[in-house]
């Protein structure tokens, strides 16, 4: 409680100091070079931090804490991994899991997108198999081709 009040007082004093109608403008101008250098340092450090994060993530990896998930949990894991990529839209993909087998339905722009998606899902822990019913725009789903030919 005392610390919160102290921090509030310090913040209030700083605001009064820098927002003073008479001298605040000159005080803020003096801060310009300091804040500019901090911004430049942050810009230079960002790629290094990103690379370090990616390296640690690659080396350490992620191990799920539930080693025998039910189908709903596994579906959530699959969706989390698949839709992490901003290029992959939830609008065009349906994920279902039955007995640890993932069923993928929907459309993808290219065959490479389909192949990469299936590969990603197969690499997820506890996925027993993947049934791929993804198809390209303007083509029928793989499980519908024979029904369309027979009709």
């Amino acid at each position: 409680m005392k610390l919160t009040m102290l921090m509030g007082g310090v913040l209030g004093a700083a605001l009064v100091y820098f927002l003073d109608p008479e001298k605040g403008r000159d005080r803020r101008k003096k801060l310009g070079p300091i804040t500019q250098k901090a911004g430049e340092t942050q810009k230079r450090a960002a790629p290094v931090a990103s690379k370090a994060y990616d390296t640690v993530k690659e080396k350490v990896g992620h191990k799920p804490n539930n080693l025998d998930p039910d189908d709903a949990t596994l579906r959530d894991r699959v969706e989390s991994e698949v839709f992490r990529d901003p290029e992959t839209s939830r609008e065009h993909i349906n994920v279902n899991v039955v007995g640890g087998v993932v069923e993928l339905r929907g459309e993808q722009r290219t065959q490479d997108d389909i192949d990469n998606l299936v590969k990603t899902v197969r690499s997820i822990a506890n996925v027993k198999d993947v049934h791929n019913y993804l198809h390209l725009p303007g083509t029928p789903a793989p499980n519908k081709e024979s029904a369309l030919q027979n009709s």
Side-chain angles (χ1 to χ4, degrees), residues 37-107:
K37 283 186 180 186
E40 290 170 4
T41 302
Q42 184 178 7
K43 285 179 187 175
R44 281 185 268 144
V48 175
S50 177
K51 184 172 174 82
Y53 175 80
D54 290 343
T55 301
V56 169
K57 184 177 170 188
E58 179 182 318
K59 299 296 181 191
V60 174
H62 173 73
K63 295 179 182 172
N65 57 359
N66 181 351
L67 299 177
D68 187 25
D70 61 9
D71 289 342
T73 303
L74 188 55
R75 185 193 68 236
D76 290 345
R77 284 184 190 171
V78 169
E79 287 180 346
S80 177
E81 190 68 33
V82 166
F83 299 124
R84 178 175 295 157
D85 179 5
E87 296 293 317
T88 306
S89 169
R90 287 183 183 268
E91 182 180 343
H92 299 290
I93 298 173
N94 184 345
V95 178
N96 193 28
V97 179
V98 177
V101 177
V102 178
E103 297 174 343
L104 298 172
R105 290 182 169 80
E107 269 186 16

